[in-house]
């Protein structure tokens, strides 16, 4: 009696484990968004203008930079229109030397950005993942847009965690 049950379990495990590249992208963009928002929310509002050194972006600018880049990459990959930037972020993007990005603006923009990316990644077709899309100067497939900017987010999130540690703040526990 045990043998048929063990055979059924053995056959079911590979079927349950199968996933597509798109499934993996959907899963990891969602997790990346949740984790990046946790990092953004952990930094106190009064430290959003903190720079590790004068040449670096402030913490708030770093959060805005992640969201701007995500919107562009997810729009290119999916073909969905890029969401408009909030007024404060649009002003910052025109003159980063004169406009600081506050926590409330940055966190909301980042949340909206990851909401957009989650919809874009979930809706992207397999054909679009394989097609070269976006501006002519950037010959990337839809998959490359999503993977490279997933990596871009991780890079800058790590940078943000260093800013937090410099200020004695423990970042949220890592999520993958």
């Amino acid at each position: 009696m045990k043998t048929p049950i063990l055979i059924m379990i053995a056959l079911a495990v590979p079927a349950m484990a199968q996933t597509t590249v798109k499934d993996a992208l959907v899963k990891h963009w969602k997790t990346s968004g949740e984790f990046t928002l946790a990092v953004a929310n952990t930094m106190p509002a009064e430290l959003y203008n903190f720079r590790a050194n004068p040449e670096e972006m402030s913490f708030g600018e770093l959060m805005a930079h992640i969201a701007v880049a995500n919107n562009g990459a997810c729009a290119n990959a999916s073909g969905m229109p890029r969401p408009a930037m909030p007024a404060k972020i649009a002003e910052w993007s025109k003159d980063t030397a004169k406009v600081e990005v506050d926590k409330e603006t940055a966190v909301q923009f980042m949340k909206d950005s990851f909401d957009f990316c989650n919809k874009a990644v979930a809706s992207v077709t397999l054909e679009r993942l394989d097609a070269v899309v976006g501006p002519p100067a950037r010959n990337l497939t839809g998959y490359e847009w999503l993977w490279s900017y997933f990596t871009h987010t991780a890079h800058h999130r790590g940078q943000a965690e260093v800013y937090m540690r410099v200020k004695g703040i423990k970042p949220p526990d890592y999520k993958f």
Side-chain angles (χ1 to χ4, degrees), residues 116-135:
F116 169 69
C117 282
N118 289 335
K119 289 176 190 162
V121 174
S123 74
V124 72
T125 64
L126 296 177
E127 294 77 24
R128 184 110 181 154
L129 284 176
D130 286 336
V132 174
V133 294

Side-chain angles (χ1 to χ4, degrees), residues 93-158:
S93 71
K94 289 178 186 168
D95 193 356
T96 59
K98 293 184 181 176
V99 179
E100 290 292 344
V101 180
D102 63 274
K103 181 175 183 171
E104 182 181 355
T105 301
V107 169
Q108 185 60 55
F109 182 45
M110 184 174 284
K111 180 186 177 314
D112 294 344
S113 169
F114 278 108
D115 287 346
F116 169 69
C117 282
N118 289 335
K119 289 176 190 162
V121 174
S123 74
V124 72
T125 64
L126 296 177
E127 294 77 24
R128 184 110 181 154
L129 284 176
D130 286 336
V132 174
V133 294
R138 305 282 310 268
N139 292 316
L140 300 175
T141 64
Y143 173 77
E144 287 175 305
W145 279 105
L146 295 175
W147 187 253
S148 60
Y149 283 86
F150 174 86
T151 304
H152 175 265
T153 295
H155 163 79
H156 285 301
R157 185 180 55 236

Side-chain angles (χ1 to χ4, degrees), residues 68-80:
V68 167
N70 284 352
N71 280 350
C74 291
N76 285 331
S78 68
M80 294 173 63

Side-chain angles (χ1 to χ4, degrees), residues 4-140:
I5 292 172
L6 292 175
I7 290 172
M8 287 176 26
I9 291 171
L11 292 173
V13 170
M16 292 185 314
Q18 288 180 353
T19 187
T20 66
V21 168
K22 182 178 170 181
D23 294 336
L25 288 168
V26 167
K27 174 186 171 186
H28 291 291
W29 268 92
K30 184 177 184 307
T31 302
S32 178
E34 291 168 355
F35 183 41
T36 305
L37 282 164
V39 168
N41 279 313
T42 301
M43 184 65 122
E46 64 273 11
L47 294 177
Y48 257 63
N49 292 332
F50 171 70
R51 297 170 191 275
N53 66 58
E55 293 81 26
E56 298 288 336
M57 289 183 269
S58 70
F59 188 90
E61 290 172 329
L62 197 54
M63 298 299 104
H65 173 74
I66 290 169
V68 167
N70 284 352
N71 280 350
C74 291
N76 285 331
S78 68
M80 294 173 63
R82 181 188 311 221
M85 285 190 272
K88 284 183 180 179
I89 301 297
E91 184 182 350
W92 165 75
S93 71
K94 289 178 186 168
D95 193 356
T96 59
K98 293 184 181 176
V99 179
E100 290 292 344
V101 180
D102 63 274
K103 181 175 183 171
E104 182 181 355
T105 301
V107 169
Q108 185 60 55
F109 182 45
M110 184 174 284
K111 180 186 177 314
D112 294 344
S113 169
F114 278 108
D115 287 346
F116 169 69
C117 282
N118 289 335
K119 289 176 190 162
V121 174
S123 74
V124 72
T125 64
L126 296 177
E127 294 77 24
R128 184 110 181 154
L129 284 176
D130 286 336
V132 174
V133 294
R138 305 282 310 268
N139 292 316
L140 300 175

